[in-house]
């Protein structure tokens, strides 16, 4: 009887050992890394490896802003290790709509705020430079006029010509200054409207997505059927 028990124990150990050897280690390499990874009915929570028996195993992969990937991995007998490589490319419909809203907002912001701001800043600089340039031409014209006024020498004609040249430069400068000042006033008005628009229109924000593979409920129920004792574990997932 003792030998029969040892033989049965040996056969049972060999069967268990064979079952362990038949399993294949599958490593999941996913980019970007998945937030939730479900293989069959098992939710992989730690690491990226799992031992699977030969056959086809359903795989569900989910990361925020990406669509739920529903695929499978096939394990063949004799495989020691499999690398399951997947690059997530397709964004979710909600995230794609969010990107479109952000793009639309940025385009409108360029028209309503960024462009008037850049134009106003440019005109402030050019108007300031023109002002000081015109002031210098005014001082030159005034000095040339005073020289012409008190010039009683034969060079009086030359002094008048010098005054006219300085005066023309001053007139051109003052005309340019007023044109730029007018453009600055118009640009400042549009900038004011752009600031009001920017305050009223905030950049779109993306809300947190619901994880379709999130574990929603865990229930422990008394075992029934052919079992006389023990408990059964029930898991509920939000598979959208």
């Amino acid at each position: 009887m003792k030998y029969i028990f040892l033989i049965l124990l040996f056969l049972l150990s060999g069967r268990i050992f064979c079952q362990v050897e038949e399993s294949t280690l599958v490593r999941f390499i996913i980019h970007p890394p998945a937030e939730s990874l479900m293989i069959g009915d098992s939710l992989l929570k730690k690491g990226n490896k799992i031992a699977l028996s030969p056959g086809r195993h359903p795989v569900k992969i989910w990361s925020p802003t990406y669509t739920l990937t529903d695929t499978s991995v096939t394990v063949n007998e004799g495989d020691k290790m499999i690398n399951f490589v997947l690059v997530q490319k397709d964004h979710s419909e909600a995230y794609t709509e969010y990107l479109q809203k952000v793009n639309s907002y940025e385009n409108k912001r360029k028209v309503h705020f960024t462009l008037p701001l850049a134009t106003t800043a440019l005109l402030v600089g050019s108007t300031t430079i023109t002002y000081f340039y015109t002031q210098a031409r005014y001082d030159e014209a005034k000095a040339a006029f005073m020289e012409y006024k008190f010039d009683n020498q034969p060079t009086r004609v030359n002094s008048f010509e010098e005054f006219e040249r300085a005066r023309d430069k001053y007139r051109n400068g003052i005309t340019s200054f007023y044109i730029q000042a007018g453009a600055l006033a118009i640009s400042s008005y549009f900038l004011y409207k752009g600031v009001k628009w920017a305050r009223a229109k905030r950049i779109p924000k993306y809300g947190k997505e619901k994880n379709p593979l999130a574990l929603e409920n865990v229930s422990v129920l008394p075992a029934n059927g052919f079992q006389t004792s023990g408990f059964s574990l029930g898991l509920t997932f939000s598979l959208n």
Side-chain angles (χ1 to χ4, degrees):
M1 191 70 175
K2 179 178 179 182
Y3 291 107
I4 295 175
F5 174 76
L6 291 175
I7 292 172
L8 291 174
L9 181 62
F10 174 76
L11 292 175
L12 181 62
S13 300
R15 183 179 178 183
I16 296 174
F17 180 74
C18 291
Q19 289 178 349
V20 173
E21 280 197 333
E22 285 179 357
S23 64
T24 300
L25 188 63
V26 180
R27 181 173 63 177
F28 292 88
I29 305 173
I30 302 170
H31 181 81
E35 181 170 302
S36 295
L37 176 60
M38 180 177 283
I39 301 92
D41 296 328
S42 301
L43 190 64
L44 192 60
K45 292 185 177 181
K46 295 182 179 180
N48 65 334
K49 299 177 183 178
I50 188 173
L52 298 176
S53 59
R56 180 180 174 275
H57 300 269
V59 177
K60 289 183 174 64
I61 302 167
W62 183 81
S63 293
T65 74
Y66 289 90
T67 57
L68 176 67
T69 301
D70 195 347
T71 182
S72 64
V73 58
T74 300
V75 177
N76 299 316
E77 293 185 4
D79 291 339
K80 294 183 178 180
M81 185 172 180
I82 297 177
N83 288 329
F84 182 92
V85 182
L86 177 71
V87 178
Q88 301 185 88
K89 296 180 180 179
D90 298 328
H91 286 291
S92 63
E93 184 177 346
Y95 188 71
T96 301
E97 183 179 351
Y98 161 75
L99 293 178
Q100 291 174 349
K101 289 181 179 179
V102 171
N103 186 57
S104 176
Y105 170 83
E106 291 295 340
N107 290 334
K108 291 180 180 179
R109 188 175 187 272
K110 290 177 182 178
V111 174
H112 292 286
F113 179 74
T114 306
L115 182 59
L117 177 62
T119 303
T120 302
L122 182 63
L123 285 172
V124 167
S126 64
T127 303
T128 302
I129 293 174
T130 302
Y131 170 79
F132 287 108
Y133 170 84
T134 303
Q135 186 63 40
R137 301 295 80 77
Y138 171 79
D139 294 338
E140 290 178 358
K142 184 178 179 180
F145 175 75
M146 296 301 295
E147 184 176 351
Y148 160 72
K149 182 178 180 180
F150 296 102
D151 189 0
N152 296 320
Q153 305 297 324
T155 58
R156 182 179 176 85
V157 175
N158 296 335
S159 299
F160 181 76
E161 291 177 353
E162 185 67 27
F163 161 69
E164 283 188 324
R165 283 192 292 269
R167 183 188 59 187
D168 291 341
K169 289 182 180 180
Y170 168 72
R171 287 176 176 176
N172 292 336
I174 200 67
T175 301
S176 178
F177 172 78
Y178 282 122
I179 291 174
Q180 293 182 42
L184 177 59
I186 297 173
S187 178
S188 299
Y189 169 76
F190 282 107
L191 177 59
Y192 165 74
K193 299 286 288 185
V195 170
K196 290 184 63 177
W197 179 90
R199 288 180 177 178
K201 303 289 185 180
R202 299 294 181 181
I203 185 170
K205 293 183 179 180
Y206 189 65
K208 185 178 180 181
E209 293 185 37
K210 182 179 179 181
N211 188 344
L213 300 180
L215 183 62
E216 288 189 338
N217 185 38
V218 179
S219 59
V220 180
L221 303 174
N224 50 26
F226 293 101
Q227 298 180 355
T228 58
S229 63
F231 296 91
S232 62
L233 181 65
L235 304 178
T236 303
F237 295 91
S238 59
L239 294 176
N240 296 338

